[in-house]
Amino acid sequence: MSWFESFILGLVQGLTEFLPISSSAHLRLTAAFAGWHDPGAAFTAITQIGTETAVLIYFRKDIARIISAWFRSLTNKEMRGDHDAQMGWLVIVGSIPIGVLGITLKDQIEGPFRDLRLIATTLIGMGIVLGIADRLAARDEAGGRHRALRERKTLKELGVRDGLIFGVCQAMALIPGVSRSGATISGGLLMGYTREAAARYSFLLAIPAVLASGAYELKDAGEGHVSWGPTIFATVIAFVVGYAVIAWFMKFITTKSFMPFVYYRVVLGIVLFILVGMGVLSPHAGESAG
């Protein structure tokens, strides 16, 4: 991998990680469209450490408060009813599905799941789910002539059941094209949470999963055509760009609809199907040398 490739892929990772459009799919597609080798699951997991570092910094006050309350709750029974202490346990519980499935499906994640036809399918499918969830949220928020406004849930109402459902939604993102934020935010909206609550928990829930995945894949960095230097460079680029994107996205979701992302996902999926069907792209483009 050249330094230019690593710069572009790091830029793509930073731009797409927090948007509900799937960063892993875009890394895969960028390489395919450019005629480069597939950067691979290890490269993707390690560069996500850069974007998760942006989450750690952006939500540093929330994270410090949650960790502090969680540790104190281990020895102080009175703290166990504290919302921040409970959030610590809920992040742990919600991380279980992706941890189990990530290890179980490792071979599929690094192989069959990177097929461009599957990515096109998940882009369209999750796009439709996100669109439905967004419409339901908008209906609750706007009310109507014969329908009262419906108050949506906040993170203070998050329990173990919903935390596990969020976790299962996040685990779906092991398939490129699904999108970690897209799946968890959609799940949250369908369960009746506000956009801000669903997005915030989505980002907090991703921290242990992404950091663990990145650390696990470190052993494979530098193998094949991807060396350590470009991987680290791409990770730094992803961090810088990712921080700017997350700050913008958290403001965007408070007043805007997710529909632009829905349209983008569906159109991109259709275009991808057409290109593969016409033989312009191989469903396994770049994989042989990846």
Side-chain angles (χ1 to χ4, degrees):
M1 175 181 288
S2 69
W3 291 99
F4 177 72
E5 287 179 46
S6 67
F7 172 77
I8 296 298
L9 293 175
L11 186 64
V12 170
Q13 168 63 27
L15 286 171
T16 59
E17 173 65 19
F18 303 117
L19 304 181
I21 56 176
S22 179
S23 61
S24 57
H26 279 75
L27 288 175
R28 176 80 177 89
L29 293 176
T30 298
F33 283 127
W36 301 337
H37 299 319
D38 179 1
F43 177 88
T44 300
I46 293 170
T47 54
Q48 284 178 338
I49 293 177
T51 44
E52 281 315 301
T53 302
V55 173
L56 291 173
I57 294 175
Y58 187 85
F59 290 110
R60 61 190 180 278
K61 293 181 180 179
D62 291 13
I63 294 170
R65 194 175 62 248
I66 290 170
I67 292 175
S68 174
W70 182 80
F71 272 111
R72 282 183 288 153
S73 73
L74 296 178
T75 55
N76 186 344
K77 292 183 178 180
E78 294 181 359
M79 283 295 299
R80 293 173 188 175
D82 182 83
H83 171 66
D84 289 325
Q86 292 175 345
M87 277 297 296
W89 285 112
L90 289 170
V91 168
I92 293 172
V93 169
S95 300
I96 293 174
I98 197 170
V100 173
L101 292 176
I103 294 173
T104 304
L105 301 175
K106 185 178 186 299
D107 292 339
Q108 287 74 23
I109 294 168
E110 296 177 348
F113 284 1
R114 303 183 73 78
D115 188 305
L116 296 184
R117 293 165 297 190
L118 178 59
I119 291 176
T121 301
T122 53
L123 282 169
I124 296 171
M126 184 50 65
I128 294 172
V129 171
L130 178 62
I132 294 172
D134 183 76
R135 290 301 188 191
L136 290 175
R139 186 181 66 179
D140 289 346
E141 294 163 357
R145 187 173 180 180
H146 303 292
R147 184 176 62 251
L149 292 174
R150 179 185 173 188
E151 188 173 345
R152 304 203 118 225
K153 294 187 286 187
T154 67
L155 288 184
K156 289 186 177 180
E157 300 168 80
L158 181 66
V160 174
R161 183 188 72 89
D162 287 358
L164 277 173
I165 294 175
F166 266 112
V168 172
C169 291
Q170 177 181 237
M172 293 172 60
L174 292 169
I175 304 174
V178 170
S179 169
R180 186 189 312 276
S181 64
T184 49
I185 289 173
S186 294
L189 294 179
L190 290 173
M191 287 188 288
Y193 287 88
T194 65
R195 299 169 194 272
E196 194 274 341
R200 185 173 290 269
Y201 185 61
S202 169
F203 294 149
L204 292 175
L205 187 61
I207 294 172
V210 171
L211 294 182
S213 175
Y216 179 78
E217 294 290 357
L218 284 175
K219 67 182 187 328
D220 294 328
E223 294 184 359
H225 72 287
V226 182
S227 57
W228 267 108
T231 300
I232 294 173
F233 181 53
T235 303
V236 173
I237 296 296
F239 160 71
V240 174
V241 177
Y243 187 87
V245 171
I246 193 174
W248 169 83
F249 187 64
M250 291 304 293
K251 294 178 180 178
F252 174 89
I253 60 174
T254 59
T255 57
K256 304 294 184 182
S257 165
F258 288 117
M259 291 311 294
F261 302 114
V262 173
Y263 298 139
Y264 173 77
R265 291 179 63 103
V266 173
V267 170
L268 179 59
I270 292 173
V271 170
L272 188 53
F273 265 129
I274 292 173
L275 293 177
V276 172
M278 294 176 63
V280 177
L281 281 177
S282 164
H284 307 287
E287 286 186 359
S288 60

